[in-house]
Amino acid sequence: YGASVDGNWKVVDSTYTFYSRYIKGAQVELVFEDRFALIYAKVFDDMSIFKGIQVENIGGAINVVMPMDNVFGAGSTKLNNEGLSWVKQLGETLKTIPFQEVKVEGHADSIPVRKGSIYPSNWELSAARAAMALRLLVEKGIQKNKLVAVGYGDSRPTSDNGTAQGRAKNRRISFNIVPEAPEGI
């Protein structure tokens, strides 16, 4: 906001008021910026260089969905090369945008983990994968207090677990980014 004459601005509960003695010829300008749209565009542009990643607007948050098979090996919590580059790029992007929180969510299909795995179920495996991705974001310089890791296992499928294609869609890791609200709102 700005004005062409001397005066004072007062902002209370998202209401902008300008006080001035000199009214004649005064001009006041307010410019509103859709911060969410700018943040969404930045995340979308930065992640669109990779094939297979989805960037969605879900209820005022930005959800970046990565197919699990491209990020981790089967039954593993070790990021493969492609997944490593994807998560590193997301970390670089997060450094450039204002956000309140990023919830890293691990998801699995309904096929049980292999016998002899250190993870007793898909729930623990998905949580460990989310934690590994979170750890990489911390290594990239993202503040710990703005990150959360959650493992959903097979409890939130997006596709039919009865087909190989559906199970592949259900195996995913998502990053739910809540943008920072502008000051005064």
Side-chain angles (χ1 to χ4, degrees), residues 6-65:
D6 289 335
N8 295 311
W9 286 94
K10 185 173 182 181
V11 181
V12 177
D13 296 328
S14 299
T15 300
Y16 292 74
T17 307
F18 180 71
Y19 299 94
S20 175
R21 289 180 183 239
Y22 307 105
I23 304 289
K24 187 176 181 181
Q27 294 179 350
V28 176
E29 178 181 14
L30 294 172
V31 177
F32 294 96
E33 179 180 84
D34 186 350
R35 184 181 241 182
F36 180 84
L38 294 173
I39 294 170
Y40 179 86
K42 172 70 173 152
V43 173
F44 185 87
D45 290 345
D46 287 0
M47 300 313 294
S48 68
I49 62 173
F50 302 110
K51 186 177 179 184
I53 295 179
Q54 293 177 289
V55 179
E56 308 163 322
N57 173 358
I58 298 181
I62 301 161
N63 201 35
V64 178
V65 182

Side-chain angles (χ1 to χ4, degrees), residues 45-144:
D45 290 345
D46 287 0
M47 300 313 294
S48 68
I49 62 173
F50 302 110
K51 186 177 179 184
I53 295 179
Q54 293 177 289
V55 179
E56 308 163 322
N57 173 358
I58 298 181
I62 301 161
N63 201 35
V64 178
V65 182
M66 300 177 183
M68 190 68 74
D69 297 346
N70 294 69
V71 181
F72 294 99
S76 173
T77 59
K78 183 178 182 211
L79 284 116
N80 62 31
N81 289 337
E82 187 172 26
L84 196 59
S85 65
W86 287 4
V87 178
K88 280 183 177 180
Q89 177 57 57
L90 182 60
E92 292 300 322
T93 299
L94 289 172
K95 287 188 211 176
T96 67
I97 62 172
F99 65 92
Q100 290 178 38
E101 179 182 83
V102 176
K103 183 167 52 169
V104 184
E105 303 173 345
H107 298 272
D109 62 23
S110 61
I111 304 294
V113 294
R114 287 180 280 197
K115 290 192 187 258
S117 170
I118 63 170
Y119 302 101
S121 74
N122 279 328
W123 215 308
E124 286 89 357
L125 176 60
S126 68
R129 287 173 165 172
M132 286 302 287
L134 180 144
R135 182 178 292 157
L136 182 58
L137 292 176
V138 170
E139 288 173 11
K140 293 302 294 174
I142 305 304
Q143 296 174 328
K144 292 178 187 180

